[in-house]
Amino acid sequence: MGIVAAALAACLFVCAGSVRGGFTFGEPTKVPNINSDFSDHSPQISRDGLELYFVSTRSSSLIGAPKPRIWVSRRPTKKDPWSAPVELNMPKSFASTHTPSLAADGLELYFSDGTINIPNAGGYGASDIWVMKRSSRGASWSEPVNLGPTINTQYREDTPCISADGLELYFSYNSTFSHVVGHVCSEIVVATRPTRDAPWGEPVNLGPNINTFQYEYTPFISYDGLLLFFSRGRGKSHIYVSRRATIRDPWGPADFFAPVNSGGGIAYADPGESEYSLSFASGDPTLYFSRGSDVFAMDYNIWQVEVIPIVDFNGDGVVDGLDLAILMRNRGVVGTRSGPVSGLCDIAPLPFGDGVVDDKDLAVFYEYADSDLVMVPSPAFGEEGVAVFVGLHWTSGTSDGTCDVYFGTSHADVEGASRDNPMGVLVSENQTGNRFALEGPLDFERTYYWRVDEVDLLSDSGIVKGLVWNFTTEATVGPIRKVVATASSAEEGAGPENTVNGSGLDADDQHSVAAEDMWLSAAEGPQPSWIQYEFDTVYPLDAMWVWNYNGQFEPVLGMGCKDVTVEYSEDGTAWTTQGDFEFARATAQSDYAHNTVIQFGGTTARYVRLTALSNWGGISPQYGLSEVRFFYTPPAAIETDASDN
């Protein structure tokens, strides 16, 4: 079908009179690295966009026929691919888990367990809602706790979703009683609490705008609390969306959400397939959902759709300076006295905006603008981590004349300066070309502002003033973010990628004791065991931090690396030995911080290989690590060719 037809895809999200920006939607595709030959479904992405929880019947830790268990995949940034999924460590008595939902802080995981035929012995009914907690992102999950009789009944509670603020819990309730007399169906309810530490209140039915004579389930509440996505159907289900103006208002009528649906929303018979469990993260343009042949099938896969903002604000078929001018005239909180009446330009954060037109929307506009018609800056508007040796570059847009360039560390100075009052920031006047070479390295971790004015003799002033752009430079010593890990061998679910994907680390860089968050070589793998890291380019290396293998039984088994040879290479062929080092032993505690640092002193390399010579236990020929992080020193003392910027 290509990009969804404009009549369906150019969605304007209308909320009680206010209008969010327009968006088109790409073709649905299966999510790479996630799906298996078994049934994979119920995806819910974390609010920060870095973890994807889902349910799969693939081979798991349970013996016997495949059973639905919770799995998780991770990635370092929202632009990176998903890692190979790992099974969540849960009690074996939870053999029919569904619909995991992670709290925004990552410290609570809600899910349902049990079916009509396989109830959980510790629950109240056919299916109950449970929660697991942890003290930090890197800590292990607690034992699942049933939410109790306020939430769970003798019937079926299922498909929970915790709101971004942690104060609303949406879920489906299935019983012989419903607001539609005489029908057995599943309806969506919400329980609330005044604070994160307070108990949940009695669930409240969302009413006839949401619940009908069909089955409604798998609710997902957007990060701002104003959009509710859910599934509706019987033999076939499809995804619908309801809106509300504020979090205090009731939900409006639900609309068929065509961009992800394959059918037409017919309750019992439909030529399309079945879709449910849609979710997304703020700042990520991708929607995730499940699709299978029907609600009873075991052929589900996890799919994705890209949301593309409409930046042709005036609808003339081109994205140019006129559209940029419209955005700049419509900045502010949508619907307020000082803000724009329409949210036409509310295109960020993706996927659906936030009710405010500001610099986030401007940054997204530049990503999609036609660089032949609009001046697009490089470094990108608002970009962080920019190298201290950088040149300014901008696309010419429609200009073929000369320009003035302003550059400095004060937004006010760069905004207010002119030829008559340069304020010390006019760095180039009446220059040709669209590049400017900055002298010497910039300061580390500093925000810079710049502006390019077009010299236009036909304008009233002879100058067309440009917008003020900004970027922030990198830290003095920066982490290398794009790292690929390979190894001589690995136990299943304990691959080398776990040492570079941040799995098991909390916000304080303390590592968990969960084995699925580490690398461990295979018991019968080739010897010597090694793990190798490849960067996206050659870096002047500063240091390597090491979190050793931190398994729960590490004090007894001692599988963490002890004596290790460290080598480096620029091409992966010619290797140089940095030295033999002893890696400190891990603590087997969930607050384990890195305790080995290897200094490289500016050595240039694209590859680093660690070869294990011994481990701390001496019992088994297996070797493991929890996490490794590399730092590089920006080449501030190296002369560069400024013409290359």
Side-chain angles (χ1 to χ4, degrees):
M1 140 175 95
I3 290 184
V4 179
L8 294 176
C11 265
L12 291 176
F13 283 90
V14 183
C15 300
S18 66
V19 181
R20 297 195 183 196
F23 304 89
T24 61
F25 299 84
E27 182 78 15
T29 59
K30 292 181 181 178
V31 180
N33 301 338
I34 298 296
N35 294 297
S36 68
D37 293 333
F38 295 85
S39 184
D40 303 292
H41 58 88
S42 305
Q44 196 165 127
I45 190 171
S46 61
R47 297 292 179 175
D48 63 8
L50 303 183
E51 294 181 291
L52 184 65
Y53 288 81
F54 64 97
V55 173
S56 178
T57 60
R58 70 188 70 186
S59 178
S60 70
S61 59
L62 299 183
I63 300 174
K67 298 177 177 64
R69 298 277 283 181
I70 298 175
W71 294 68
V72 60
S73 179
R74 300 179 175 91
R75 59 185 181 183
T77 73
K78 295 173 185 175
K79 295 184 178 180
D80 289 309
W82 292 107
S83 67
V86 295
E87 183 186 356
L88 218 61
N89 186 21
M90 298 178 64
K92 290 180 170 51
S93 59
F94 288 78
S96 186
T97 53
H98 289 90
T99 56
S101 178
L102 187 71
D105 62 5
L107 304 184
E108 293 180 330
L109 183 67
Y110 292 83
F111 64 95
S112 61
D113 184 75
T115 66
I116 295 175
N117 298 320
I118 316 175
N120 188 297
Y124 290 83
S127 175
D128 282 3
I129 297 175
W130 303 71
V131 64
M132 296 192 300
K133 298 184 179 183
R134 57 186 178 184
S135 58
S136 65
R137 283 274 184 144
S140 298
W141 289 108
S142 68
E143 290 289 308
V145 175
N146 191 289
L147 291 194
T150 300
I151 300 298
N152 296 310
T153 69
Q154 61 181 309
Y155 301 106
R156 182 173 182 176
E157 288 74 33
D158 206 349
T159 67
C161 177
I162 181 73
S163 62
D165 62 9
L167 303 182
E168 293 182 314
L169 181 66
Y170 292 80
F171 60 96
S172 59
Y173 170 68
N174 189 347
S175 79
T176 56
F177 305 99
S178 75
H179 81 280
V180 182
V181 178
H183 286 278
V184 178
C185 57
S186 170
E187 301 189 330
I188 297 175
V189 299
V190 60
T192 61
R193 57 186 180 183
T195 68
R196 291 286 307 275
D197 298 324
W200 291 108
E202 290 284 345
V204 176
N205 192 292
L206 294 190
N209 279 342
I210 304 298
N211 297 312
T212 67
F213 65 92
Q214 302 184 54
Y215 282 81
E216 281 81 25
Y217 60 110
T218 65
F220 177 77
I221 181 76
S222 63
Y223 41 84
D224 60 6
L226 303 182
L227 298 174
L228 180 69
F229 292 84
F230 62 94
S231 300
R232 173 182 289 168
R234 283 185 178 267
K236 298 274 180 86
S237 68
H238 299 298
I239 294 171
Y240 289 73
V241 59
S242 177
R243 307 160 181 84
R244 61 184 178 183
T246 73
I247 60 174
R248 294 175 295 277
D249 289 311
W251 291 104
D255 295 321
F256 185 76
F257 193 62
V260 300
N261 289 324
S262 57
I266 303 172
Y268 297 95
D270 197 308
E273 294 186 280
S274 185
E275 292 85 19
Y276 69 95
S277 284
L278 182 142
S279 69
F280 52 85
S282 178
D284 185 341
T286 306
L287 309 179
Y288 298 90
F289 65 99
S290 304
R291 175 178 284 175
S293 56
D294 61 57
V295 295
F296 306 106
M298 295 295 290
D299 59 0
Y300 276 90
N301 284 286
I302 296 173
W303 292 67
Q304 62 186 5
V305 163
E306 182 184 3
V307 179
I308 306 164
I310 297 174
V311 294
D312 179 16
F313 300 128
N314 62 3
D316 63 357
V318 293
V319 180
D320 55 15
L322 295 176
D323 300 294
L324 179 58
I326 292 173
L327 188 152
M328 298 308 296
R329 288 198 306 269
N330 284 275
R331 291 165 71 89
V333 179
V334 178
T336 62
R337 182 177 299 239
S338 60
V341 174
S342 165
L344 176 67
C345 302
D346 179 20
I347 55 176
L350 291 168
F352 298 129
D354 59 0
V356 181
V357 181
D358 54 17
D359 281 353
K360 295 191 294 290
D361 302 279
L362 182 57
V364 169
F365 174 83
Y366 280 128
E367 288 184 37
Y368 291 90
D370 188 336
S371 60
D372 291 331
L373 300 175
V374 177
M375 276 192 178
V376 178
S378 178
F381 179 75
E383 184 176 352
E384 298 179 350
V386 175
V388 293
F389 267 112
V390 66
L392 305 180
H393 171 250
W394 57 96
T395 61
S396 299
T398 58
S399 173
D400 56 4
T402 60
C403 57
D404 297 343
V405 181
Y406 298 83
F407 179 81
T409 57
S410 166
H411 183 283
D413 289 351
V414 173
E415 170 70 27
S418 65
R419 284 185 173 183
D420 295 334
N421 183 18
M423 302 176 70
V425 295
L426 177 57
V427 294
S428 180
E429 184 174 339
N430 207 38
Q431 79 159 55
T432 59
N434 57 350
R435 295 177 181 269
F436 180 77
L438 299 171
E439 294 183 5
L442 303 177
D443 294 336
F444 292 106
E445 298 182 85
R446 189 160 193 177
T447 299
Y448 288 88
Y449 303 90
W450 57 300
R451 190 183 98 213
V452 176
D453 291 353
E454 297 178 62
V455 178
D456 184 357
L457 299 180
L458 298 179
S459 67
D460 293 339
S461 64
I463 298 290
V464 178
K465 186 176 179 179
L467 298 177
V468 176
W469 299 320
N470 69 79
F471 63 87
T472 302
T473 53
E474 62 195 338
T476 307
V477 175
I480 300 176
R481 302 193 182 279
K482 294 184 178 181
V483 185
V484 176
T486 55
S488 55
S489 66
E491 290 288 353
E492 184 176 356
E497 68 277 1
N498 290 338
T499 65
V500 292
N501 61 12
S503 59
L505 287 176
D506 63 14
D508 297 320
D509 279 341
Q510 296 174 336
H511 207 282
S512 74
V513 295
E516 64 267 22
D517 293 333
M518 312 174 203
W519 165 67
L520 183 64
S521 66
E524 298 181 358
Q527 299 296 336
S529 293
W530 53 263
I531 186 168
Q532 181 173 303
Y533 300 96
E534 179 183 356
F535 316 132
D536 58 323
T537 189
V538 174
Y539 286 92
L541 297 181
D542 175 73
M544 174 179 67
W545 290 3
V546 178
W547 289 256
N548 215 330
Y549 191 79
N550 195 44
Q552 185 176 359
F553 302 106
E554 179 61 15
V556 177
L557 299 178
M559 291 186 289
C561 295
K562 183 180 181 183
D563 297 306
V564 179
T565 297
V566 179
E567 301 171 277
Y568 61 87
S569 172
E570 290 190 0
D571 58 9
T573 301
W575 292 88
T576 301
T577 300
Q578 178 74 4
D580 292 335
F581 301 90
E582 181 178 284
F583 286 8
R585 196 170 192 172
T587 62
Q589 300 295 319
S590 60
D591 59 353
Y592 170 49
H594 77 278
N595 55 358
T596 296
V597 177
I598 306 299
Q599 300 290 344
F600 285 92
T603 295
T604 56
R606 184 172 182 174
Y607 302 85
V608 172
R609 184 166 60 202
L610 313 179
T611 302
L613 306 178
S614 66
N615 60 26
W616 279 97
I619 300 173
S620 169
Q622 287 184 274
Y623 306 85
L625 294 172
S626 294
E627 190 80 14
V628 174
R629 184 176 299 166
F630 295 92
F631 295 86
Y632 74 102
T633 303
I638 300 174
E639 292 294 333
T640 62
D641 183 354
S643 65
D644 287 340
N645 291 285

